[in-house]
mmCIF file with all atom_site columns, all heavy atoms in Angstrom:
data_model
loop_
_atom_site.group_PDB
_atom_site.id
_atom_site.type_symbol
_atom_site.label_atom_id
_atom_site.label_alt_id
_atom_site.label_comp_id
_atom_site.label_asym_id
_atom_site.label_entity_id
_atom_site.label_seq_id
_atom_site.pdbx_PDB_ins_code
_atom_site.Cartn_x
_atom_site.Cartn_y
_atom_site.Cartn_z
_atom_site.occupancy
_atom_site.B_iso_or_equiv
_atom_site.pdbx_formal_charge
_atom_site.auth_seq_id
_atom_site.auth_comp_id
_atom_site.auth_asym_id
_atom_site.auth_atom_id
_atom_site.pdbx_PDB_model_num
ATOM 1   N N   . CYS A 1 15  ? 11.344  12.963  2.907  1.00 96.00 ? 43  CYS A N   1
ATOM 2   C CA  . CYS A 1 15  ? 11.858  14.087  2.112  1.00 96.00 ? 43  CYS A CA  1
ATOM 3   C C   . CYS A 1 15  ? 11.328  15.416  2.642  1.00 96.00 ? 43  CYS A C   1
ATOM 4   O O   . CYS A 1 15  ? 12.061  16.416  2.690  1.00 96.00 ? 43  CYS A O   1
ATOM 5   C CB  . CYS A 1 15  ? 11.477  13.913  0.644  1.00 96.00 ? 43  CYS A CB  1
ATOM 6   S SG  . CYS A 1 15  ? 12.285  12.520  -0.178 1.00 96.00 ? 43  CYS A SG  1
ATOM 7   N N   . LEU A 1 18  ? 13.324  16.343  5.674  1.00 95.00 ? 46  LEU A N   1
ATOM 8   C CA  . LEU A 1 18  ? 14.613  16.921  5.291  1.00 95.00 ? 46  LEU A CA  1
ATOM 9   C C   . LEU A 1 18  ? 14.429  18.353  4.794  1.00 95.00 ? 46  LEU A C   1
ATOM 10  O O   . LEU A 1 18  ? 15.265  19.226  5.052  1.00 95.00 ? 46  LEU A O   1
ATOM 11  C CB  . LEU A 1 18  ? 15.279  16.062  4.219  1.00 95.00 ? 46  LEU A CB  1
ATOM 12  C CG  . LEU A 1 18  ? 15.611  14.618  4.614  1.00 95.00 ? 46  LEU A CG  1
ATOM 13  C CD1 . LEU A 1 18  ? 16.221  13.875  3.432  1.00 95.00 ? 46  LEU A CD1 1
ATOM 14  C CD2 . LEU A 1 18  ? 16.540  14.575  5.812  1.00 95.00 ? 46  LEU A CD2 1
ATOM 15  N N   . CYS A 1 20  ? 12.161  20.424  5.848  1.00 94.00 ? 48  CYS A N   1
ATOM 16  C CA  . CYS A 1 20  ? 11.968  21.265  7.031  1.00 94.00 ? 48  CYS A CA  1
ATOM 17  C C   . CYS A 1 20  ? 13.293  21.559  7.725  1.00 94.00 ? 48  CYS A C   1
ATOM 18  O O   . CYS A 1 20  ? 13.497  22.648  8.259  1.00 94.00 ? 48  CYS A O   1
ATOM 19  C CB  . CYS A 1 20  ? 10.997  20.597  8.005  1.00 94.00 ? 48  CYS A CB  1
ATOM 20  S SG  . CYS A 1 20  ? 9.278   20.610  7.468  1.00 94.00 ? 48  CYS A SG  1
ATOM 21  N N   . CYS A 1 36  ? 10.298  15.004  -2.812 1.00 97.00 ? 64  CYS A N   1
ATOM 22  C CA  . CYS A 1 36  ? 9.101   14.936  -1.978 1.00 97.00 ? 64  CYS A CA  1
ATOM 23  C C   . CYS A 1 36  ? 7.846   14.916  -2.844 1.00 97.00 ? 64  CYS A C   1
ATOM 24  O O   . CYS A 1 36  ? 6.956   14.072  -2.667 1.00 97.00 ? 64  CYS A O   1
ATOM 25  C CB  . CYS A 1 36  ? 9.072   16.126  -1.019 1.00 97.00 ? 64  CYS A CB  1
ATOM 26  S SG  . CYS A 1 36  ? 7.583   16.233  -0.017 1.00 97.00 ? 64  CYS A SG  1
ATOM 27  N N   . HIS A 1 55  ? -26.427 3.627   3.242  1.00 47.00 ? 83  HIS A N   1
ATOM 28  C CA  . HIS A 1 55  ? -27.314 3.682   4.399  1.00 47.00 ? 83  HIS A CA  1
ATOM 29  C C   . HIS A 1 55  ? -27.235 2.391   5.216  1.00 47.00 ? 83  HIS A C   1
ATOM 30  O O   . HIS A 1 55  ? -27.643 2.360   6.371  1.00 47.00 ? 83  HIS A O   1
ATOM 31  C CB  . HIS A 1 55  ? -28.755 3.914   3.939  1.00 47.00 ? 83  HIS A CB  1
ATOM 32  C CG  . HIS A 1 55  ? -28.955 5.250   3.282  1.00 47.00 ? 83  HIS A CG  1
ATOM 33  N ND1 . HIS A 1 55  ? -28.822 6.440   3.966  1.00 47.00 ? 83  HIS A ND1 1
ATOM 34  C CD2 . HIS A 1 55  ? -29.265 5.581   1.998  1.00 47.00 ? 83  HIS A CD2 1
ATOM 35  C CE1 . HIS A 1 55  ? -29.055 7.455   3.141  1.00 47.00 ? 83  HIS A CE1 1
ATOM 36  N NE2 . HIS A 1 55  ? -29.317 6.956   1.941  1.00 47.00 ? 83  HIS A NE2 1
ATOM 37  N N   . ALA A 1 77  ? -0.111  15.500  1.819  1.00 98.00 ? 105 ALA A N   1
ATOM 38  C CA  . ALA A 1 77  ? -0.379  16.294  0.619  1.00 98.00 ? 105 ALA A CA  1
ATOM 39  C C   . ALA A 1 77  ? -0.901  17.679  0.991  1.00 98.00 ? 105 ALA A C   1
ATOM 40  O O   . ALA A 1 77  ? -0.554  18.685  0.349  1.00 98.00 ? 105 ALA A O   1
ATOM 41  C CB  . ALA A 1 77  ? -1.387  15.569  -0.268 1.00 98.00 ? 105 ALA A CB  1
ATOM 42  N N   . TYR A 1 129 ? -3.389  12.248  15.363 1.00 98.00 ? 157 TYR A N   1
ATOM 43  C CA  . TYR A 1 129 ? -2.049  12.700  14.973 1.00 98.00 ? 157 TYR A CA  1
ATOM 44  C C   . TYR A 1 129 ? -2.106  13.407  13.621 1.00 98.00 ? 157 TYR A C   1
ATOM 45  O O   . TYR A 1 129 ? -1.442  14.434  13.419 1.00 98.00 ? 157 TYR A O   1
ATOM 46  C CB  . TYR A 1 129 ? -1.063  11.535  14.908 1.00 98.00 ? 157 TYR A CB  1
ATOM 47  C CG  . TYR A 1 129 ? 0.299   11.983  14.422 1.00 98.00 ? 157 TYR A CG  1
ATOM 48  C CD1 . TYR A 1 129 ? 1.271   12.415  15.317 1.00 98.00 ? 157 TYR A CD1 1
ATOM 49  C CD2 . TYR A 1 129 ? 0.597   12.027  13.055 1.00 98.00 ? 157 TYR A CD2 1
ATOM 50  C CE1 . TYR A 1 129 ? 2.502   12.874  14.871 1.00 98.00 ? 157 TYR A CE1 1
ATOM 51  C CE2 . TYR A 1 129 ? 1.822   12.485  12.604 1.00 98.00 ? 157 TYR A CE2 1
ATOM 52  C CZ  . TYR A 1 129 ? 2.769   12.904  13.511 1.00 98.00 ? 157 TYR A CZ  1
ATOM 53  O OH  . TYR A 1 129 ? 3.985   13.376  13.063 1.00 98.00 ? 157 TYR A OH  1
ATOM 54  N N   . ALA A 1 130 ? -2.893  12.880  12.682 1.00 98.00 ? 158 ALA A N   1
ATOM 55  C CA  . ALA A 1 130 ? -3.005  13.505  11.362 1.00 98.00 ? 158 ALA A CA  1
ATOM 56  C C   . ALA A 1 130 ? -3.544  14.927  11.478 1.00 98.00 ? 158 ALA A C   1
ATOM 57  O O   . ALA A 1 130 ? -3.054  15.851  10.808 1.00 98.00 ? 158 ALA A O   1
ATOM 58  C CB  . ALA A 1 130 ? -3.899  12.664  10.452 1.00 98.00 ? 158 ALA A CB  1
ATOM 59  N N   . GLU A 1 150 ? -13.477 21.841  17.528 1.00 98.00 ? 178 GLU A N   1
ATOM 60  C CA  . GLU A 1 150 ? -14.608 20.936  17.680 1.00 98.00 ? 178 GLU A CA  1
ATOM 61  C C   . GLU A 1 150 ? -14.348 19.599  16.994 1.00 98.00 ? 178 GLU A C   1
ATOM 62  O O   . GLU A 1 150 ? -14.678 18.534  17.532 1.00 98.00 ? 178 GLU A O   1
ATOM 63  C CB  . GLU A 1 150 ? -15.871 21.581  17.109 1.00 98.00 ? 178 GLU A CB  1
ATOM 64  C CG  . GLU A 1 150 ? -17.101 20.675  17.090 1.00 98.00 ? 178 GLU A CG  1
ATOM 65  C CD  . GLU A 1 150 ? -17.515 20.190  18.476 1.00 98.00 ? 178 GLU A CD  1
ATOM 66  O OE1 . GLU A 1 150 ? -17.121 20.818  19.483 1.00 98.00 ? 178 GLU A OE1 1
ATOM 67  O OE2 . GLU A 1 150 ? -18.236 19.171  18.555 1.00 98.00 ? 178 GLU A OE2 1
ATOM 68  N N   . SER A 1 161 ? -14.212 7.930   25.636 1.00 95.00 ? 189 SER A N   1
ATOM 69  C CA  . SER A 1 161 ? -15.435 7.185   25.913 1.00 95.00 ? 189 SER A CA  1
ATOM 70  C C   . SER A 1 161 ? -15.203 5.684   25.788 1.00 95.00 ? 189 SER A C   1
ATOM 71  O O   . SER A 1 161 ? -15.603 4.899   26.665 1.00 95.00 ? 189 SER A O   1
ATOM 72  C CB  . SER A 1 161 ? -16.544 7.634   24.959 1.00 95.00 ? 189 SER A CB  1
ATOM 73  O OG  . SER A 1 161 ? -17.728 6.890   25.178 1.00 95.00 ? 189 SER A OG  1
ATOM 74  N N   . LEU A 1 221 ? -5.202  9.807   32.600 1.00 98.00 ? 249 LEU A N   1
ATOM 75  C CA  . LEU A 1 221 ? -4.202  9.476   31.584 1.00 98.00 ? 249 LEU A CA  1
ATOM 76  C C   . LEU A 1 221 ? -2.889  9.037   32.230 1.00 98.00 ? 249 LEU A C   1
ATOM 77  O O   . LEU A 1 221 ? -2.257  8.069   31.784 1.00 98.00 ? 249 LEU A O   1
ATOM 78  C CB  . LEU A 1 221 ? -3.975  10.679  30.669 1.00 98.00 ? 249 LEU A CB  1
ATOM 79  C CG  . LEU A 1 221 ? -5.180  11.096  29.815 1.00 98.00 ? 249 LEU A CG  1
ATOM 80  C CD1 . LEU A 1 221 ? -4.907  12.418  29.107 1.00 98.00 ? 249 LEU A CD1 1
ATOM 81  C CD2 . LEU A 1 221 ? -5.532  10.019  28.794 1.00 98.00 ? 249 LEU A CD2 1
ATOM 82  N N   . PRO A 1 234 ? 11.657  -7.108  35.538 1.00 96.00 ? 262 PRO A N   1
ATOM 83  C CA  . PRO A 1 234 ? 12.879  -6.704  36.251 1.00 96.00 ? 262 PRO A CA  1
ATOM 84  C C   . PRO A 1 234 ? 13.933  -6.095  35.325 1.00 96.00 ? 262 PRO A C   1
ATOM 85  O O   . PRO A 1 234 ? 14.739  -5.268  35.756 1.00 96.00 ? 262 PRO A O   1
ATOM 86  C CB  . PRO A 1 234 ? 13.370  -8.017  36.870 1.00 96.00 ? 262 PRO A CB  1
ATOM 87  C CG  . PRO A 1 234 ? 12.126  -8.830  37.055 1.00 96.00 ? 262 PRO A CG  1
ATOM 88  C CD  . PRO A 1 234 ? 11.259  -8.489  35.880 1.00 96.00 ? 262 PRO A CD  1
ATOM 89  N N   . SER A 1 235 ? 13.903  -6.464  34.052 1.00 95.00 ? 263 SER A N   1
ATOM 90  C CA  . SER A 1 235 ? 14.869  -5.922  33.091 1.00 95.00 ? 263 SER A CA  1
ATOM 91  C C   . SER A 1 235 ? 14.609  -4.463  32.760 1.00 95.00 ? 263 SER A C   1
ATOM 92  O O   . SER A 1 235 ? 15.467  -3.792  32.177 1.00 95.00 ? 263 SER A O   1
ATOM 93  C CB  . SER A 1 235 ? 14.816  -6.735  31.797 1.00 95.00 ? 263 SER A CB  1
ATOM 94  O OG  . SER A 1 235 ? 13.561  -6.551  31.143 1.00 95.00 ? 263 SER A OG  1
ATOM 95  N N   . SER A 1 243 ? -1.765  -10.252 27.553 1.00 93.00 ? 271 SER A N   1
ATOM 96  C CA  . SER A 1 243 ? -1.639  -11.691 27.295 1.00 93.00 ? 271 SER A CA  1
ATOM 97  C C   . SER A 1 243 ? -0.190  -12.151 27.328 1.00 93.00 ? 271 SER A C   1
ATOM 98  O O   . SER A 1 243 ? 0.086   -13.330 27.101 1.00 93.00 ? 271 SER A O   1
ATOM 99  C CB  . SER A 1 243 ? -2.250  -12.029 25.926 1.00 93.00 ? 271 SER A CB  1
ATOM 100 O OG  . SER A 1 243 ? -3.608  -11.657 25.873 1.00 93.00 ? 271 SER A OG  1
ATOM 101 N N   . HIS A 1 255 ? 6.214   -2.927  20.197 1.00 88.00 ? 283 HIS A N   1
ATOM 102 C CA  . HIS A 1 255 ? 5.906   -3.629  21.437 1.00 88.00 ? 283 HIS A CA  1
ATOM 103 C C   . HIS A 1 255 ? 7.142   -3.600  22.326 1.00 88.00 ? 283 HIS A C   1
ATOM 104 O O   . HIS A 1 255 ? 8.194   -4.090  21.937 1.00 88.00 ? 283 HIS A O   1
ATOM 105 C CB  . HIS A 1 255 ? 5.519   -5.084  21.161 1.00 88.00 ? 283 HIS A CB  1
ATOM 106 C CG  . HIS A 1 255 ? 4.437   -5.253  20.144 1.00 88.00 ? 283 HIS A CG  1
ATOM 107 N ND1 . HIS A 1 255 ? 3.134   -4.903  20.380 1.00 88.00 ? 283 HIS A ND1 1
ATOM 108 C CD2 . HIS A 1 255 ? 4.476   -5.722  18.870 1.00 88.00 ? 283 HIS A CD2 1
ATOM 109 C CE1 . HIS A 1 255 ? 2.401   -5.163  19.305 1.00 88.00 ? 283 HIS A CE1 1
ATOM 110 N NE2 . HIS A 1 255 ? 3.193   -5.654  18.374 1.00 88.00 ? 283 HIS A NE2 1
ATOM 111 N N   . TYR A 1 268 ? 6.446   13.700  31.253 1.00 96.00 ? 296 TYR A N   1
ATOM 112 C CA  . TYR A 1 268 ? 7.259   14.581  32.102 1.00 96.00 ? 296 TYR A CA  1
ATOM 113 C C   . TYR A 1 268 ? 7.568   15.895  31.398 1.00 96.00 ? 296 TYR A C   1
ATOM 114 O O   . TYR A 1 268 ? 7.556   16.965  32.019 1.00 96.00 ? 296 TYR A O   1
ATOM 115 C CB  . TYR A 1 268 ? 8.552   13.868  32.492 1.00 96.00 ? 296 TYR A CB  1
ATOM 116 C CG  . TYR A 1 268 ? 9.429   14.668  33.434 1.00 96.00 ? 296 TYR A CG  1
ATOM 117 C CD1 . TYR A 1 268 ? 8.949   15.082  34.673 1.00 96.00 ? 296 TYR A CD1 1
ATOM 118 C CD2 . TYR A 1 268 ? 10.729  15.003  33.081 1.00 96.00 ? 296 TYR A CD2 1
ATOM 119 C CE1 . TYR A 1 268 ? 9.747   15.816  35.541 1.00 96.00 ? 296 TYR A CE1 1
ATOM 120 C CE2 . TYR A 1 268 ? 11.535  15.732  33.943 1.00 96.00 ? 296 TYR A CE2 1
ATOM 121 C CZ  . TYR A 1 268 ? 11.041  16.141  35.169 1.00 96.00 ? 296 TYR A CZ  1
ATOM 122 O OH  . TYR A 1 268 ? 11.830  16.870  36.022 1.00 96.00 ? 296 TYR A OH  1
ATOM 123 N N   . THR A 1 276 ? 5.194   12.819  37.537 1.00 97.00 ? 304 THR A N   1
ATOM 124 C CA  . THR A 1 276 ? 5.694   12.444  36.214 1.00 97.00 ? 304 THR A CA  1
ATOM 125 C C   . THR A 1 276 ? 7.201   12.211  36.217 1.00 97.00 ? 304 THR A C   1
ATOM 126 O O   . THR A 1 276 ? 7.719   11.537  35.328 1.00 97.00 ? 304 THR A O   1
ATOM 127 C CB  . THR A 1 276 ? 5.326   13.510  35.168 1.00 97.00 ? 304 THR A CB  1
ATOM 128 O OG1 . THR A 1 276 ? 5.802   14.797  35.599 1.00 97.00 ? 304 THR A OG1 1
ATOM 129 C CG2 . THR A 1 276 ? 3.818   13.572  34.960 1.00 97.00 ? 304 THR A CG2 1
ATOM 130 N N   . LEU A 1 296 ? 18.827  -5.265  17.309 1.00 66.00 ? 324 LEU A N   1
ATOM 131 C CA  . LEU A 1 296 ? 18.169  -6.486  16.863 1.00 66.00 ? 324 LEU A CA  1
ATOM 132 C C   . LEU A 1 296 ? 18.658  -6.908  15.486 1.00 66.00 ? 324 LEU A C   1
ATOM 133 O O   . LEU A 1 296 ? 19.531  -6.284  14.895 1.00 66.00 ? 324 LEU A O   1
ATOM 134 C CB  . LEU A 1 296 ? 16.655  -6.263  16.844 1.00 66.00 ? 324 LEU A CB  1
ATOM 135 C CG  . LEU A 1 296 ? 16.061  -5.678  18.130 1.00 66.00 ? 324 LEU A CG  1
ATOM 136 C CD1 . LEU A 1 296 ? 14.571  -5.468  17.965 1.00 66.00 ? 324 LEU A CD1 1
ATOM 137 C CD2 . LEU A 1 296 ? 16.351  -6.565  19.317 1.00 66.00 ? 324 LEU A CD2 1
ATOM 138 N N   . CYS A 1 303 ? 10.676  0.232   12.868 1.00 78.00 ? 331 CYS A N   1
ATOM 139 C CA  . CYS A 1 303 ? 9.943   -0.845  13.526 1.00 78.00 ? 331 CYS A CA  1
ATOM 140 C C   . CYS A 1 303 ? 10.561  -2.178  13.143 1.00 78.00 ? 331 CYS A C   1
ATOM 141 O O   . CYS A 1 303 ? 11.722  -2.416  13.401 1.00 78.00 ? 331 CYS A O   1
ATOM 142 C CB  . CYS A 1 303 ? 8.459   -0.764  13.180 1.00 78.00 ? 331 CYS A CB  1
ATOM 143 S SG  . CYS A 1 303 ? 7.437   -1.748  14.285 1.00 78.00 ? 331 CYS A SG  1
ATOM 144 N N   . ASP A 1 308 ? 11.779  -11.967 2.183  1.00 27.00 ? 336 ASP A N   1
ATOM 145 C CA  . ASP A 1 308 ? 12.788  -12.672 1.407  1.00 27.00 ? 336 ASP A CA  1
ATOM 146 C C   . ASP A 1 308 ? 13.501  -11.675 0.503  1.00 27.00 ? 336 ASP A C   1
ATOM 147 O O   . ASP A 1 308 ? 13.240  -10.490 0.524  1.00 27.00 ? 336 ASP A O   1
ATOM 148 C CB  . ASP A 1 308 ? 12.153  -13.800 0.581  1.00 27.00 ? 336 ASP A CB  1
ATOM 149 C CG  . ASP A 1 308 ? 11.056  -13.292 -0.336 1.00 27.00 ? 336 ASP A CG  1
ATOM 150 O OD1 . ASP A 1 308 ? 11.284  -12.281 -1.012 1.00 27.00 ? 336 ASP A OD1 1
ATOM 151 O OD2 . ASP A 1 308 ? 9.990   -13.905 -0.382 1.00 27.00 ? 336 ASP A OD2 1
ATOM 152 N N   . MET A 1 316 ? 14.847  0.258   -6.337 1.00 41.00 ? 344 MET A N   1
ATOM 153 C CA  . MET A 1 316 ? 16.205  0.748   -6.516 1.00 41.00 ? 344 MET A CA  1
ATOM 154 C C   . MET A 1 316 ? 16.263  2.262   -6.677 1.00 41.00 ? 344 MET A C   1
ATOM 155 O O   . MET A 1 316 ? 17.264  2.891   -6.339 1.00 41.00 ? 344 MET A O   1
ATOM 156 C CB  . MET A 1 316 ? 16.863  0.065   -7.712 1.00 41.00 ? 344 MET A CB  1
ATOM 157 C CG  . MET A 1 316 ? 17.190  -1.401  -7.449 1.00 41.00 ? 344 MET A CG  1
ATOM 158 S SD  . MET A 1 316 ? 18.073  -1.669  -5.896 1.00 41.00 ? 344 MET A SD  1
ATOM 159 C CE  . MET A 1 316 ? 19.583  -0.765  -6.172 1.00 41.00 ? 344 MET A CE  1
ATOM 160 N N   . SER A 1 347 ? 16.657  1.396   13.920 1.00 77.00 ? 375 SER A N   1
ATOM 161 C CA  . SER A 1 347 ? 16.861  2.811   14.209 1.00 77.00 ? 375 SER A CA  1
ATOM 162 C C   . SER A 1 347 ? 15.825  3.332   15.189 1.00 77.00 ? 375 SER A C   1
ATOM 163 O O   . SER A 1 347 ? 16.104  4.241   15.970 1.00 77.00 ? 375 SER A O   1
ATOM 164 C CB  . SER A 1 347 ? 16.790  3.620   12.911 1.00 77.00 ? 375 SER A CB  1
ATOM 165 O OG  . SER A 1 347 ? 17.828  3.245   12.033 1.00 77.00 ? 375 SER A OG  1
ATOM 166 N N   . HIS A 1 371 ? 24.856  13.573  27.654 1.00 78.00 ? 399 HIS A N   1
ATOM 167 C CA  . HIS A 1 371 ? 25.918  13.045  26.793 1.00 78.00 ? 399 HIS A CA  1
ATOM 168 C C   . HIS A 1 371 ? 25.746  11.547  26.593 1.00 78.00 ? 399 HIS A C   1
ATOM 169 O O   . HIS A 1 371 ? 25.912  11.035  25.483 1.00 78.00 ? 399 HIS A O   1
ATOM 170 C CB  . HIS A 1 371 ? 27.284  13.343  27.406 1.00 78.00 ? 399 HIS A CB  1
ATOM 171 C CG  . HIS A 1 371 ? 28.419  12.666  26.689 1.00 78.00 ? 399 HIS A CG  1
ATOM 172 N ND1 . HIS A 1 371 ? 28.879  13.091  25.457 1.00 78.00 ? 399 HIS A ND1 1
ATOM 173 C CD2 . HIS A 1 371 ? 29.163  11.579  27.015 1.00 78.00 ? 399 HIS A CD2 1
ATOM 174 C CE1 . HIS A 1 371 ? 29.861  12.295  25.055 1.00 78.00 ? 399 HIS A CE1 1
ATOM 175 N NE2 . HIS A 1 371 ? 30.060  11.380  25.987 1.00 78.00 ? 399 HIS A NE2 1
ATOM 176 N N   . LEU A 1 415 ? 16.743  8.992   11.330 1.00 90.00 ? 443 LEU A N   1
ATOM 177 C CA  . LEU A 1 415 ? 17.569  9.043   12.535 1.00 90.00 ? 443 LEU A CA  1
ATOM 178 C C   . LEU A 1 415 ? 18.846  9.830   12.282 1.00 90.00 ? 443 LEU A C   1
ATOM 179 O O   . LEU A 1 415 ? 19.229  10.693  13.085 1.00 90.00 ? 443 LEU A O   1
ATOM 180 C CB  . LEU A 1 415 ? 17.904  7.626   12.994 1.00 90.00 ? 443 LEU A CB  1
ATOM 181 C CG  . LEU A 1 415 ? 18.954  7.509   14.109 1.00 90.00 ? 443 LEU A CG  1
ATOM 182 C CD1 . LEU A 1 415 ? 18.477  8.186   15.385 1.00 90.00 ? 443 LEU A CD1 1
ATOM 183 C CD2 . LEU A 1 415 ? 19.294  6.043   14.366 1.00 90.00 ? 443 LEU A CD2 1
ATOM 184 N N   . SER A 1 431 ? 20.704  24.224  18.740 1.00 41.00 ? 459 SER A N   1
ATOM 185 C CA  . SER A 1 431 ? 19.804  24.368  19.878 1.00 41.00 ? 459 SER A CA  1
ATOM 186 C C   . SER A 1 431 ? 18.834  23.215  19.980 1.00 41.00 ? 459 SER A C   1
ATOM 187 O O   . SER A 1 431 ? 18.107  23.090  20.959 1.00 41.00 ? 459 SER A O   1
ATOM 188 C CB  . SER A 1 431 ? 19.009  25.672  19.749 1.00 41.00 ? 459 SER A CB  1
ATOM 189 O OG  . SER A 1 431 ? 18.184  25.628  18.595 1.00 41.00 ? 459 SER A OG  1
ATOM 190 N N   . GLY A 1 443 ? 14.412  15.209  18.046 1.00 87.00 ? 471 GLY A N   1
ATOM 191 C CA  . GLY A 1 443 ? 14.566  13.984  18.807 1.00 87.00 ? 471 GLY A CA  1
ATOM 192 C C   . GLY A 1 443 ? 13.274  13.245  19.062 1.00 87.00 ? 471 GLY A C   1
ATOM 193 O O   . GLY A 1 443 ? 13.287  12.173  19.662 1.00 87.00 ? 471 GLY A O   1
#
Side-chain angles (χ1 to χ4, degrees):
C43 293
L46 299 178
C48 287
C64 176
H83 295 294
Y157 176 90
E178 174 60 20
S189 178
L249 295 172
S263 67
S271 301
H283 308 290
Y296 183 59
T304 55
L324 309 178
C331 196
D336 57 47
M344 289 311 297
S375 297
H399 172 74
L443 170 62
S459 63

